[in-house]
Amino acid sequence: MSSTLLNDLNEKQIEAVKHTTGPSVILAGAGSGKTKVLVSKVVHLIQDKSVVANSIVMITFTNKAASEMKERIARAFVKNKKIQLGYVGTFHAFCCRILRIDGHNLGIDRNFAIYDDNDQQELVKWVLKKMDTKKYTPSYFLYRISAAKNQLITPNTYLEFFSDYNAAQVADVYDQYQKLLEKNKALDFDDLLMKATTLFTRFPAVLDEYQEKYKYLLVDEFQDTNYAQYVLTKQLGAKYKNVTVVGDFSQSIYSWRGADIRNLEKFQEDFPDSQVFYLEQNYRSTQSILNFAYEVISKNQTHPVLQLFTTNSEGEKIYTHEADNEEDESIFVSSEIQRLQEDNLYSSFAVLYRTNAQSRAIEESFLHFGIPYVLIGGVRFYDRKEIKDILSYLRLIINPDDEIAIERIKKLGKRKWDRFKHFFAEIHSTKDELTTVQIMDKVFTETSYLDLYNPDLEEDYARLENIKELKSVAINFPVLTEFLEQVALVESEYFQGERKGNSNEGVRLMTLHQAKGLEFPYVFIVGLEEGLLPHSRSINDMFQLEEERRLFYVGITRAKKKLYITFARRRFIFGRRTDGAKSRFLGGGEEADY
């Protein structure tokens, strides 16, 4: 191995890189340099083992990660620009390439279209219109169809695996949806995986060509693979078994997208000779943060847990803050950021939370304190679709000539607009006798607005939580005009904040799911209460509870220098006041003095 490469790696990383023949599992903890190890292994294969570069495939989950790997490999071979790997990119793009070349064996047109979310919605709408059913939304059926495809379940075999009360209807919609895709010479994203694995299963000679072409396979973020992605990995690696899978199962947080934590066990069963390498040296955080992370994650029992260590300093203790309520919590976070910001950029701070609805109180506090912020992967609370819909209904009750509000409600559908017009006279005449919350509830009842969202779907459930959070605001402003004035003032502060300086220079606000892969010197994790983290929907299921703990672990390991954990004794959340019980996950943090 080249001395330059060797100097940049620790002992365990070198062991993982040097294993070039046969299957291997690299369990790479947070901040342990897994990308460096993957890239180094590829360089080692080409430079020191004389492996032909175009026989190597690197698969990851995002185009951003793929681009970073390509750049690092290019830098390593700067003197030989002809070096080009067989493939570096995502599972879906890899499968697309295969199907463009060999999909004709399955009757797939080489020029097939790839349908995005909007295209899929339209197709299912056509199916439902023909079936004359409005009981479930297109999103519901697409969620179920996607889940089936990720498990490689076809319309014909659907009822062999699902027997719930509406499984037959889902199977019917799935069948008709698939026929429409074929008619339009189109595939959806899940088809890319499903069709590629089907191609390899039905045409062994085609699979053999790819096994001969790509003799070395490296799969990043293996803990996030679904069943279809696992099967594809197994198929490609079955002949030469030069398969390296890399992941940290303590960061497996996407089961709701189909990620299957059991894929590690499957891999070790299907590749019994695989060697396991443990990367536990962390280059990101202080030892105090890593100790706390281990104390939290070590309670999990369904996956391997790494005990991270670092040569960094011990660092400050984890600071836990018990707030009176969500406002007190937000003020504490704002005050601490202002205190520390004198020596740091605002972008050095991140505030993480379990649900999008929690951003509302933080956003309003930041606006009050004049703290710039950037919502990562999300939309500001009062700009969210469902919030704007409801505010439009409420504005019309005060001002029936509000054309902007009228147009917005009309876009929700003729039936909802007709229902609103039907009860408008009654609600308009009694608006001064009702509280804001009572008016809201009447709107929901009379228009059936909430039927737009299915609580069984993760995204819809989050929207329903946002609506309940809007009711939390309404409780504090029982007079409708005063409530709408408050919202208008907050929106005005949004606008004023946007006009000041660089929008990139702000505190990062995001959910814990969105924080994966990022790092910040200072991290605040807010809302560590039973029902929030762990989420109320997870408390009675051991596997979901462990995923919630992994989610907390991901948040903890984002912090480089200092970590704050906050919880509240009482909280107005999701439209009601609750007495907060400190999260069961908080066994390690302790109150610290400055």
Side-chain angles (χ1 to χ4, degrees):
M1 185 184 293
S2 66
S3 57
T4 307
L5 200 65
L6 191 69
N7 292 338
D8 289 341
L9 302 173
N10 65 42
E11 183 182 339
K12 295 296 181 184
Q13 289 173 330
I14 291 170
E15 289 177 11
V17 167
K18 280 186 171 181
H19 181 82
T20 55
T21 305
S24 65
V25 177
I26 301 176
L27 297 177
S32 64
K34 72 177 176 64
T35 303
K36 179 190 284 188
V37 170
L38 274 172
V39 170
S40 297
K41 187 162 190 172
V42 168
V43 174
H44 177 55
L45 282 167
I46 298 167
Q47 278 189 349
D48 305 323
K49 295 295 181 179
S50 302
V51 170
V52 179
N54 62 15
S55 70
I56 300 171
V57 167
M58 297 181 79
I59 296 182
T60 187
F61 272 79
T62 66
N63 290 318
K64 180 182 176 184
S67 296
E68 183 182 352
M69 287 180 183
K70 285 178 185 175
E71 287 172 14
R72 291 198 191 188
I73 291 167
R75 286 201 298 269
F77 292 104
V78 70
K79 293 179 181 177
N80 187 351
K81 294 181 180 179
K82 293 181 182 178
I83 291 290
Q84 190 169 358
L85 267 58
Y87 179 79
V88 183
T90 66
F91 272 106
H92 290 92
F94 182 65
C95 290
C96 184
R97 174 188 285 193
I98 291 168
L99 294 173
R100 293 282 185 209
I101 298 168
D102 291 296
H104 61 88
N105 290 286
L106 295 175
I108 298 171
D109 190 288
R110 278 200 168 98
N111 297 313
F112 64 83
I114 300 174
Y115 274 13
D116 63 17
D117 291 345
N118 291 330
D119 299 325
Q120 292 170 249
Q121 290 271 346
E122 288 303 313
L123 274 197
V124 174
K125 282 179 186 175
W126 289 350
V127 172
L128 297 181
K129 191 173 182 180
K130 195 163 68 171
M131 293 174 66
D132 194 27
T133 178
K134 294 185 174 69
K135 189 174 180 183
Y136 297 101
T137 63
S139 295
Y140 170 77
F141 287 105
L142 285 169
Y143 173 79
R144 301 263 325 234
I145 291 167
S146 177
K149 289 184 177 183
N150 287 338
Q151 292 290 318
L152 303 180
I153 296 169
T154 66
N156 294 335
T157 60
Y158 191 86
L159 293 178
E160 295 174 21
F161 294 90
F162 299 97
S163 57
D164 54 283
Y165 68 97
N166 58 337
Q169 187 180 23
V170 174
D172 192 12
V173 172
Y174 183 7
D175 182 53
Q176 293 189 53
Y177 167 75
Q178 210 59 29
K179 285 174 179 173
L180 279 175
L181 281 172
E182 290 172 17
K183 181 183 176 184
N184 293 340
K185 296 181 180 178
L187 303 179
D188 63 22
F189 283 102
D190 296 314
D191 278 333
L192 296 172
L193 298 170
M194 193 173 186
K195 298 291 186 183
T197 58
T198 302
L199 174 70
F200 288 158
T201 301
R202 288 177 51 187
F203 297 92
V206 175
L207 172 60
D208 188 67
E209 285 179 25
Y210 282 93
Q211 289 172 336
E212 287 295 329
K213 186 176 183 180
Y214 301 129
K215 295 179 180 177
Y216 293 84
L217 178 63
L218 297 91
V219 181
D220 191 18
E221 304 287 6
F222 189 66
Q223 76 280 349
D224 293 335
T225 52
N226 60 33
Y227 179 68
Q229 289 161 336
Y230 174 72
V231 169
L232 186 75
T233 302
K234 177 184 171 184
Q235 288 174 323
L236 286 168
K239 187 170 187 177
Y240 289 100
K241 298 182 170 53
N242 297 322
V243 187
T244 299
V245 298
V246 184
D248 179 5
F249 287 80
S250 293
Q251 296 188 71
S252 179
I253 58 173
Y254 296 119
S255 66
W256 48 279
R257 287 186 190 166
D260 192 343
I261 201 167
R262 296 169 298 180
N263 283 347
L264 173 63
E265 190 178 325
K266 290 193 189 92
F267 184 85
Q268 290 177 309
E269 288 172 359
D270 290 327
F271 297 91
D273 297 331
S274 59
Q275 289 195 31
V276 182
F277 300 92
Y278 299 86
L279 304 186
E280 295 177 297
Q281 183 169 350
N282 176 282
Y283 293 91
R284 175 188 299 155
S285 307
T286 66
Q287 192 62 52
S288 290
I289 291 168
L290 299 180
N291 291 344
F292 180 54
Y294 181 73
E295 187 171 342
V296 168
I297 200 63
S298 61
K299 305 291 192 301
N300 276 10
Q301 299 175 5
T302 60
H303 58 87
V305 171
L306 302 175
Q307 187 159 9
L308 303 180
F309 68 92
T310 185
T311 57
N312 296 339
S313 67
E314 185 71 17
E316 296 185 52
K317 293 178 181 179
I318 311 305
Y319 188 86
T320 61
H321 175 75
E322 182 178 24
D324 289 332
N325 52 43
E326 73 280 3
E327 287 183 358
D328 180 38
E329 178 183 62
S330 300
I331 290 169
F332 168 75
V333 172
S334 299
S335 300
E336 275 300 291
I337 289 173
Q338 280 199 324
R339 185 179 70 83
L340 294 165
Q341 191 270 332
E342 293 178 7
D343 301 315
N344 299 276
L345 295 171
Y346 279 117
S347 54
S348 301
F349 302 90
V351 182
L352 313 180
Y353 34 80
R354 176 62 179 86
T355 70
N356 273 305
Q358 289 170 259
S359 79
R360 196 270 308 170
I362 302 290
E363 286 185 70
E364 292 191 6
S365 177
F366 281 5
L367 290 167
H368 176 76
F369 278 81
I371 296 173
Y373 67 90
V374 178
L375 269 167
I376 304 295
V379 178
R380 294 177 310 195
F381 184 79
Y382 290 108
D383 284 343
R384 291 167 191 165
K385 175 198 176 296
E386 59 279 11
I387 301 302
K388 282 194 166 294
D389 288 347
I390 295 160
L391 291 175
S392 293
Y393 278 122
L394 299 178
R395 279 164 46 186
L396 270 184
I397 290 168
I398 297 295
N399 174 18
D401 297 321
D402 188 332
E403 291 187 3
I404 302 275
I406 289 171
E407 285 303 308
R408 186 171 191 95
I409 295 171
K410 281 183 175 179
K411 286 179 182 176
L412 296 174
K414 186 175 185 301
R415 183 177 297 184
K416 283 186 169 43
W417 174 239
D418 288 343
R419 282 178 176 173
F420 180 74
K421 287 193 298 183
H422 182 72
F423 94 105
F424 171 76
E426 174 204 338
I427 195 76
H428 184 67
S429 63
T430 59
K431 67 181 185 300
D432 295 333
E433 300 163 23
L434 302 172
T435 67
T436 305
V437 171
Q438 288 172 328
I439 294 170
M440 263 191 198
D441 286 337
K442 276 189 172 290
V443 168
F444 296 150
T445 302
E446 297 295 334
T447 66
S448 301
Y449 177 80
L450 298 181
D451 291 349
L452 287 171
Y453 307 111
N454 188 321
D456 293 335
L457 305 182
E458 191 81 17
E459 183 179 340
D460 281 8
Y461 190 83
R463 292 190 186 280
L464 291 170
E465 286 183 326
N466 289 336
I467 292 167
K468 290 176 182 175
E469 181 61 16
L470 186 65
K471 288 178 74 174
S472 298
V473 182
I475 289 169
N476 293 318
F477 297 92
V479 178
L480 181 56
T481 52
E482 292 179 1
F483 168 76
L484 292 172
E485 283 173 11
Q486 167 64 16
V487 172
L489 286 170
V490 172
E491 289 180 317
S492 171
E493 288 177 340
Y494 277 163
F495 180 68
Q496 289 174 15
E498 282 182 346
R499 290 191 302 184
K500 295 176 184 174
N502 183 359
S503 62
N504 288 324
E505 175 37 31
V507 177
R508 272 40 181 173
L509 298 186
M510 70 194 85
T511 65
L512 287 157
H513 281 102
Q514 290 156 346
K516 189 168 178 288
L518 303 177
E519 59 182 48
F520 305 92
Y522 301 93
V523 170
F524 295 78
I525 307 178
V526 299
L528 259 292
E529 296 141 43
E530 291 291 299
L532 274 178
L533 189 62
H535 197 281
S536 57
R537 298 216 295 178
S538 309
I539 285 173
N540 296 319
D541 183 301
M542 185 193 79
F543 290 99
Q544 288 189 31
L545 191 62
E546 287 210 352
E547 181 151 326
E548 291 289 295
R549 190 178 280 113
R550 292 195 293 270
L551 193 55
F552 184 34
Y553 175 82
V554 165
I556 293 167
T557 53
R558 299 311 93 200
K560 297 167 71 174
K561 290 175 65 175
K562 186 156 187 177
L563 174 67
Y564 293 82
I565 310 289
T566 69
F567 54 95
R569 284 190 287 271
R570 292 175 299 280
R571 189 180 293 272
F572 256 134
I573 188 77
F574 308 146
R576 60 192 177 92
R577 181 183 292 283
T578 59
D579 291 325
K582 186 166 76 169
S583 171
R584 69 189 70 189
F585 298 160
L586 282 182
E590 62 178 293
E591 199 77 29
D593 296 322
Y594 290 120

